[in-house]
Amino acid sequence: MNSRFQKTSFARLPGTVSAGVLSLASLALGTEPGYPWDIPQTKPDRPLSKAMERLYDQYLAPRPEDNELFSSFKYTPLKGLDYKDGDGTISRRDPSKIIKRHGKYYVWYTKRDTPVPPQGAEKCSDTIPSTDWDLCEIWYATSKDGFTWEEQGVAIPRPPKPEVGWRSVSTTDILEWEGKYYLYYQGFMEASGTKGDHCPVAASYADSPDGPWTPANKVIIPNGEPGTWDQYSIHDPYPLVYRGKIYIYFKAAYGDRPDYLVGNGLAIAESPLGPFRKHPLNPLFNSGHETSLFPFKEGIGALIISNGNEVNTIQYAPDGVNFGIASVSALLPIAAGPYVPDAFNSNGNGRGISWGLSHFTTAGGPGKQHSILARFDCDLSLDVDDPGLK
Ligand code: AAL
């Protein structure tokens, strides 16, 4: 593994907020590589317990320090974004993946700037938000170093009623395709919470990451037929270019908020505004809320961040479709928007990720609910010397 730091390094740094249960366990037991009781790198030729069989058969490598898809996560506050002292009237959440253009990093995110914090579905109005992502717009920020961010302004405002997203536009992600840029996002037609969290995916396009953005004014990935797994909501669109096509991974819910069970599926197109064809094996994940994905070698890696039996796992599919658990970790970045240098041009040789932005929700305490963006660092990158990855 060509790594900038040891897989276990975050667990060993005093004072960092970190995860890595396996690393912590090996630290506690003193199982440094090379000790006689260390885990053998190759499967022993003797009967093994179920857990030891799994260690060799399921994960990319038996020891976390050799597993290219194992990482702990470190978090750092950002500089440059104002939250009005955390009074709950400003929120930033659900960052897109990050791209680098014109020597700067770009991120798009859901921004709420409302007179009061979210008041729930019963008390919401044309100006009072129901949830943290109600009455939102999509804004963007740029940064030279990934730590200090300068908010540039609105990218996608709410369109007039009754166009897609008139109530709220949120939870966006970026695609570059043939020199043009596309933002995909949730387009709410009613306040979130009044009837679940139902919404389809809409899109806007531009010649530059700085806009101006033109709305496509249509539903890009429609809800499924009644009775199907994605009938209610198509959330968290996450575009990548893979095998020469546009792959948009998305989250859907079997039921309704808050008692829903999430799954993640895939829709594929040859042109950014569709038509998108849903994969016949959907859902491709049985777990995961705000799943983040990245090209990794010939396949796709995924952070399964919350919800479901396979929460807190890092998964891998050599074909972008059939995912298996590559490692188990903890404190994964919520709604991670990683910097993915090769999101649109990995050509079967994905390089992974080493940092990005994520959000922390319910900052501010009761009555002041909002979300903030923070930086995460991880060790899921195969390139040490690419300056863009540092
Ligand atoms: C997030 C995302 C979607 C949901 C809401 C805002 O976690 O899954 O964007 O609609 O919560």
Side-chain angles (χ1 to χ4, degrees), residues 322-334:
N322 290 290
F323 286 85
I325 296 175
S327 73
V328 180
S329 188
L331 290 181
L332 268 66
I334 306 286

Side-chain angles (χ1 to χ4, degrees), residues 39-58 61-63:
I39 298 164
Q41 296 200 37
T42 50
K43 195 170 179 177
D45 184 18
R46 64 176 175 82
L48 293 176
S49 66
K50 197 170 175 184
M52 292 307 285
E53 284 280 355
R54 181 164 77 234
L55 198 59
Y56 291 95
D57 296 344
Q58 177 172 309
R63 300 191 319 196

Side-chain angles (χ1 to χ4, degrees), residues 76-321:
T76 311
L78 300 185
K79 292 193 182 128
L81 300 176
D82 176 47
Y83 287 91
K84 279 201 198 151
D85 294 327
D87 69 2
T89 60
I90 293 194
S91 190
R92 294 182 186 84
R93 55 178 293 138
D94 290 303
S96 69
K97 77 172 82 66
I98 294 164
I99 61 170
K100 193 175 188 183
R101 296 293 181 276
H102 319 306
K104 291 180 291 190
Y105 298 109
Y106 282 75
V107 69
W108 291 262
Y109 47 87
T110 305
K111 183 176 180 188
R112 180 174 57 73
D113 186 347
T114 48
V116 289
Q119 304 291 308
E122 306 73 39
K123 293 193 195 148
C124 76
S125 71
D126 284 353
T127 52
I128 299 176
S130 61
T131 60
D132 198 23
W133 54 95
D134 186 28
L135 293 177
C136 286
E137 297 180 318
I138 290 161
W139 282 53
Y140 78 114
T142 59
S143 172
K144 291 262 183 221
D145 62 5
F147 291 94
T148 300
W149 290 84
E150 212 177 309
E151 191 157 71
Q152 301 294 335
V154 66
I156 314 289
R158 284 196 284 141
K161 199 172 181 176
E163 283 167 31
V164 187
W166 67 267
R167 174 72 199 188
S168 190
V169 286
S170 84
T171 323
T172 193
D173 211 288
I174 184 81
L175 167 75
E176 186 188 0
W177 178 263
E178 294 180 351
K180 283 196 190 311
Y181 295 85
Y182 298 82
L183 282 173
Y184 299 90
Y185 45 89
Q186 298 178 183
F188 282 92
M189 312 298 277
E190 58 188 313
S192 165
T194 49
K195 207 167 29 131
D197 206 27
H198 303 184
C199 62
V201 168
S204 291
Y205 52 92
D207 290 330
S208 149
D210 292 297
W213 296 90
T214 305
N217 274 333
K218 65 173 187 173
V219 169
I220 300 291
I221 305 181
N223 297 100
E225 295 298 320
T228 57
W229 77 289
D230 58 353
Q231 64 175 327
Y232 291 128
S233 42
I234 307 282
H235 285 173
D236 299 88
Y238 195 99
L240 293 171
V241 175
Y242 185 61
R243 298 187 173 181
K245 298 201 168 137
I246 299 156
Y247 275 47
I248 297 191
Y249 294 88
F250 62 88
K251 179 192 85 191
Y254 284 105
D256 250 344
R257 243 178 219 273
D259 303 314
Y260 69 173
L261 233 182
V262 295
N264 288 260
L266 169 65
I268 301 174
E270 288 171 31
S271 172
L273 300 182
F276 278 87
R277 196 171 33 85
K278 291 184 185 170
H279 199 282
L281 293 182
N282 280 349
L284 305 185
F285 296 93
N286 60 38
S287 305
H289 193 123
E290 304 145 334
T291 299
S292 298
L293 302 106
F294 50 91
F296 195 82
K297 298 187 174 173
E298 78 272 26
I300 300 288
L303 304 180
I304 301 298
I305 296 155
S306 45
N307 287 82
N309 276 342
E310 295 183 359
V311 62
N312 287 325
T313 60
I314 300 171
Q315 304 205 3
Y316 179 66
D319 60 356
V321 169

Side-chain angles (χ1 to χ4, degrees), residues 325-349:
I325 296 175
S327 73
V328 180
S329 188
L331 290 181
L332 268 66
I334 306 286
Y339 171 49
V340 189
D342 55 5
F344 317 124
N345 59 355
S346 60
N347 297 320
N349 186 24

Side-chain angles (χ1 to χ4, degrees), residues 15-38:
T16 56
V17 181
S18 65
V21 282
L22 293 175
S23 311
L24 283 169
S26 64
L27 181 66
L29 293 169
T31 51
E32 293 287 347
Y35 279 60
W37 52 84
D38 195 13

